[in-house]
Amino acid sequence: MDLDPLSLFRDLDAGAVLAVAVSGGSDSLALLLLGHDFVRRHRPALRLTAVTVDHGLRPESAAEAAWVAAFCRQRGIAHETVVWQGDKPETGLAAAAREARYRLLADAAQRAGASVVLSGHTLDDQAETLAMRAARAEGAGQMGAGLAGMARATLFDGRVWIARPLLGLRRQALRDWLGRRGVEWIDDPSNDNPAYERVRVRKALAHAEVETLGAEARRQALARQALAKRAAAWIGRFASRPAPGLLRLDPAFADGDDDAREAAILALRALLATAGGTPRLPDRARVETLLRRLADGAPMRATLSRAAVDTRRAGVFLRREARNLPVVPRGAGPVLWDGRLRATAAPGAHDLHIGPLGHDGAARFPAETQAGVPPALVRAAWAAEPALYSGRTLIGPRLAPAAAGDSVPASPAAAPFARFLTGFDLPLAAALHRLAGAPALPSPPWPEHIGPG
């Protein structure tokens, strides 16, 4: 089979610069060369740049990055190597390395003027991912909860799209294509180490199972996207923000038939995470229990995923609970405060930091709200909102820039999708952004995020 770059990249909207993540393995090298062919033959105005992440976790990594740099240089492709520096965690290393990889790729892409980074994930990677997630869900008794594999595009840190154009292709097809072109690649020995879960799953999957799991990933993705759209409509219909940091749900939020109930459950999980500033949606079973209690209409107070839930005659109110609120210095890079505020540093403002406004601080500033909203809830919500400090001196609340004298760009964030937003969840994230008053999300690289079947 000969691969057609035009069919892979025709609908891709990448702006003026396109970045490609290249490790030196067969998948990423094939992606780089396919992208290079596409640019030369079909999009000559598009500038291509390659980025290699050296995690520094193996002695060979620096030499491998240098090999990729030479490979690119021979073909006239711009290239940058970025290194994961600093101490590495003793536990959770794989997750930390993944986070560092995406952060370094996003930083490099932005330096090059790119808003999209291509990643060489294949159908084999998709099948392995779904098999691992299914095994974990089964072990936790959560099968049928809407599993999905990797999305065709994922927004990282609200700023750069990670696009995966090869999700429909088998790894062996890419290697055969490279072989016909006489291109060699680097084999990472960790890809054969059975100490890693993915390697064990890969070795256990038969050829036909990969195709079957790929089809299942697409089916689950379509179902997840459809549910995200219904949950977004539910939020638009029943949720509002009467004051900074305070969300209100109409009592009818908990009503509806079984189909509407699924949308309400997902919507409530997303709203709790947004109010509480948590990166993950709360446990489905606990939210189902909460929704049943809300449907009863009895007065109630509860806390879930750092969000305080308070039912009143005027509706159901969600806000950040007033504990474990961080104090974050405004360093040189972007800051994500409590999952609810995205900010950048002010030049020369080394002593500035972000912390909670607190009850005393909230009492110093007028808080306008909608009629019927209890003032006590407004004050409690304001107390957990971010404020700007110089040393121990309160300059002002983030939401009153005139009082704060804040020259630093800052805007609300929707916590569950602030770091990783899959294309499946884009409708839901857009609804949360509108509700929180956050900026519109960057345009996606493809109009459709699941990819051809």
mmCIF file of all heavy atoms in Angstrom, residues 21 126 175 183 190 195 217 219 228 322 347 353-354 368 377 413 429 437 447:
data_model
loop_
_atom_site.group_PDB
_atom_site.id
_atom_site.type_symbol
_atom_site.label_atom_id
_atom_site.label_comp_id
_atom_site.label_asym_id
_atom_site.label_seq_id
_atom_site.Cartn_x
_atom_site.Cartn_y
_atom_site.Cartn_z
ATOM 1 N N ALA A 21 6.024 16.189 15.980
ATOM 2 C CA ALA A 21 6.787 15.554 17.052
ATOM 3 C C ALA A 21 7.502 14.336 16.478
ATOM 4 O O ALA A 21 6.861 13.427 15.951
ATOM 5 C CB ALA A 21 5.856 15.144 18.187
ATOM 6 N N GLN A 126 -4.092 3.125 19.139
ATOM 7 C CA GLN A 126 -5.493 3.301 19.491
ATOM 8 C C GLN A 126 -6.062 2.034 20.130
ATOM 9 O O GLN A 126 -6.739 2.086 21.161
ATOM 10 C CB GLN A 126 -6.290 3.678 18.242
ATOM 11 C CG GLN A 126 -7.768 3.920 18.472
ATOM 12 C CD GLN A 126 -8.029 5.242 19.150
ATOM 13 O OE1 GLN A 126 -7.683 5.410 20.327
ATOM 14 N NE2 GLN A 126 -8.637 6.174 18.441
ATOM 15 N N ARG A 175 5.859 1.099 8.386
ATOM 16 C CA ARG A 175 7.209 0.543 8.284
ATOM 17 C C ARG A 175 7.479 0.012 6.874
ATOM 18 O O ARG A 175 8.590 0.156 6.349
ATOM 19 C CB ARG A 175 7.390 -0.549 9.330
ATOM 20 C CG ARG A 175 7.378 0.002 10.751
ATOM 21 C CD ARG A 175 7.703 -1.026 11.797
ATOM 22 N NE ARG A 175 7.936 -0.386 13.090
ATOM 23 C CZ ARG A 175 8.407 -0.993 14.165
ATOM 24 N NH1 ARG A 175 8.675 -2.294 14.108
ATOM 25 N NH2 ARG A 175 8.588 -0.329 15.277
ATOM 26 N N VAL A 183 14.357 4.057 4.182
ATOM 27 C CA VAL A 183 14.519 4.875 5.390
ATOM 28 C C VAL A 183 14.600 3.976 6.617
ATOM 29 O O VAL A 183 13.737 3.119 6.839
ATOM 30 C CB VAL A 183 13.341 5.860 5.550
ATOM 31 C CG1 VAL A 183 13.477 6.644 6.854
ATOM 32 C CG2 VAL A 183 13.264 6.804 4.367
ATOM 33 N N SER A 190 12.578 0.182 25.141
ATOM 34 C CA SER A 190 11.480 0.152 26.114
ATOM 35 C C SER A 190 10.183 -0.316 25.470
ATOM 36 O O SER A 190 9.266 -0.758 26.168
ATOM 37 C CB SER A 190 11.284 1.536 26.743
ATOM 38 O OG SER A 190 10.914 2.484 25.765
ATOM 39 N N ALA A 195 7.797 -4.912 31.320
ATOM 40 C CA ALA A 195 7.494 -4.231 32.582
ATOM 41 C C ALA A 195 6.438 -3.148 32.383
ATOM 42 O O ALA A 195 5.769 -2.740 33.339
ATOM 43 C CB ALA A 195 8.765 -3.605 33.157
ATOM 44 N N ALA A 217 -13.366 1.811 19.162
ATOM 45 C CA ALA A 217 -12.948 3.134 19.624
ATOM 46 C C ALA A 217 -13.728 4.221 18.883
ATOM 47 O O ALA A 217 -14.163 5.212 19.487
ATOM 48 C CB ALA A 217 -11.446 3.322 19.408
ATOM 49 N N ARG A 219 -16.716 3.879 17.483
ATOM 50 C CA ARG A 219 -18.117 3.835 17.910
ATOM 51 C C ARG A 219 -18.290 4.526 19.260
ATOM 52 O O ARG A 219 -19.213 5.314 19.462
ATOM 53 C CB ARG A 219 -18.584 2.381 18.002
ATOM 54 C CG ARG A 219 -20.077 2.225 18.275
ATOM 55 C CD ARG A 219 -20.448 0.776 18.500
ATOM 56 N NE ARG A 219 -19.954 0.290 19.782
ATOM 57 C CZ ARG A 219 -20.567 0.534 20.946
ATOM 58 N NH1 ARG A 219 -21.665 1.283 20.991
ATOM 59 N NH2 ARG A 219 -20.071 0.054 22.062
ATOM 60 N N ALA A 228 -21.766 14.475 24.845
ATOM 61 C CA ALA A 228 -21.197 15.782 25.197
ATOM 62 C C ALA A 228 -22.059 16.913 24.638
ATOM 63 O O ALA A 228 -22.252 17.941 25.297
ATOM 64 C CB ALA A 228 -19.770 15.894 24.674
ATOM 65 N N ALA A 322 -13.956 26.531 50.602
ATOM 66 C CA ALA A 322 -12.927 27.462 51.068
ATOM 67 C C ALA A 322 -11.831 26.760 51.849
ATOM 68 O O ALA A 322 -11.570 27.072 53.013
ATOM 69 C CB ALA A 322 -13.563 28.561 51.916
ATOM 70 N N PRO A 347 6.064 41.493 33.473
ATOM 71 C CA PRO A 347 7.512 41.747 33.443
ATOM 72 C C PRO A 347 7.958 42.553 34.661
ATOM 73 O O PRO A 347 7.403 43.603 34.967
ATOM 74 C CB PRO A 347 7.698 42.558 32.151
ATOM 75 C CG PRO A 347 6.496 42.216 31.309
ATOM 76 C CD PRO A 347 5.373 42.001 32.290
ATOM 77 N N HIS A 353 1.948 37.471 43.458
ATOM 78 C CA HIS A 353 1.463 36.095 43.480
ATOM 79 C C HIS A 353 -0.059 36.103 43.540
ATOM 80 O O HIS A 353 -0.689 37.124 43.823
ATOM 81 C CB HIS A 353 2.057 35.304 44.641
ATOM 82 C CG HIS A 353 1.709 35.863 45.995
ATOM 83 N ND1 HIS A 353 2.479 36.806 46.628
ATOM 84 C CD2 HIS A 353 0.674 35.608 46.837
ATOM 85 C CE1 HIS A 353 1.942 37.105 47.795
ATOM 86 N NE2 HIS A 353 0.833 36.393 47.952
ATOM 87 N N ILE A 354 -0.633 34.958 43.241
ATOM 88 C CA ILE A 354 -2.089 34.796 43.240
ATOM 89 C C ILE A 354 -2.484 33.907 44.404
ATOM 90 O O ILE A 354 -1.891 32.845 44.628
ATOM 91 C CB ILE A 354 -2.579 34.161 41.925
ATOM 92 C CG1 ILE A 354 -2.098 34.967 40.729
ATOM 93 C CG2 ILE A 354 -4.096 34.054 41.898
ATOM 94 C CD1 ILE A 354 -2.350 34.287 39.401
ATOM 95 N N GLU A 368 -21.970 42.656 42.987
ATOM 96 C CA GLU A 368 -23.297 42.702 42.394
ATOM 97 C C GLU A 368 -23.727 41.292 41.985
ATOM 98 O O GLU A 368 -22.918 40.486 41.568
ATOM 99 C CB GLU A 368 -23.282 43.613 41.167
ATOM 100 C CG GLU A 368 -22.946 45.058 41.498
ATOM 101 C CD GLU A 368 -22.951 45.926 40.263
ATOM 102 O OE1 GLU A 368 -23.211 45.385 39.168
ATOM 103 O OE2 GLU A 368 -22.688 47.136 40.393
ATOM 104 N N LEU A 377 -24.067 33.446 49.997
ATOM 105 C CA LEU A 377 -23.429 32.568 49.018
ATOM 106 C C LEU A 377 -22.504 33.366 48.096
ATOM 107 O O LEU A 377 -21.445 32.879 47.694
ATOM 108 C CB LEU A 377 -24.486 31.842 48.190
ATOM 109 C CG LEU A 377 -25.308 30.780 48.928
ATOM 110 C CD1 LEU A 377 -26.244 30.074 47.958
ATOM 111 C CD2 LEU A 377 -24.388 29.749 49.588
ATOM 112 N N ALA A 413 -10.812 29.773 33.561
ATOM 113 C CA ALA A 413 -10.559 28.509 32.878
ATOM 114 C C ALA A 413 -11.595 27.490 33.318
ATOM 115 O O ALA A 413 -12.111 27.562 34.437
ATOM 116 C CB ALA A 413 -9.149 28.004 33.186
ATOM 117 N N ALA A 429 -16.924 21.435 26.597
ATOM 118 C CA ALA A 429 -15.955 22.436 27.058
ATOM 119 C C ALA A 429 -16.367 23.838 26.616
ATOM 120 O O ALA A 429 -16.209 24.803 27.366
ATOM 121 C CB ALA A 429 -14.567 22.100 26.522
ATOM 122 N N GLY A 437 -17.325 32.468 31.604
ATOM 123 C CA GLY A 437 -16.806 33.723 31.077
ATOM 124 C C GLY A 437 -15.390 33.608 30.561
ATOM 125 O O GLY A 437 -14.659 34.597 30.487
ATOM 126 N N PRO A 447 -12.411 19.964 11.161
ATOM 127 C CA PRO A 447 -13.804 20.185 11.509
ATOM 128 C C PRO A 447 -14.431 18.984 12.182
ATOM 129 O O PRO A 447 -15.459 19.092 12.838
ATOM 130 C CB PRO A 447 -14.470 20.468 10.146
ATOM 131 C CG PRO A 447 -13.557 19.834 9.150
ATOM 132 C CD PRO A 447 -12.171 19.946 9.697
#
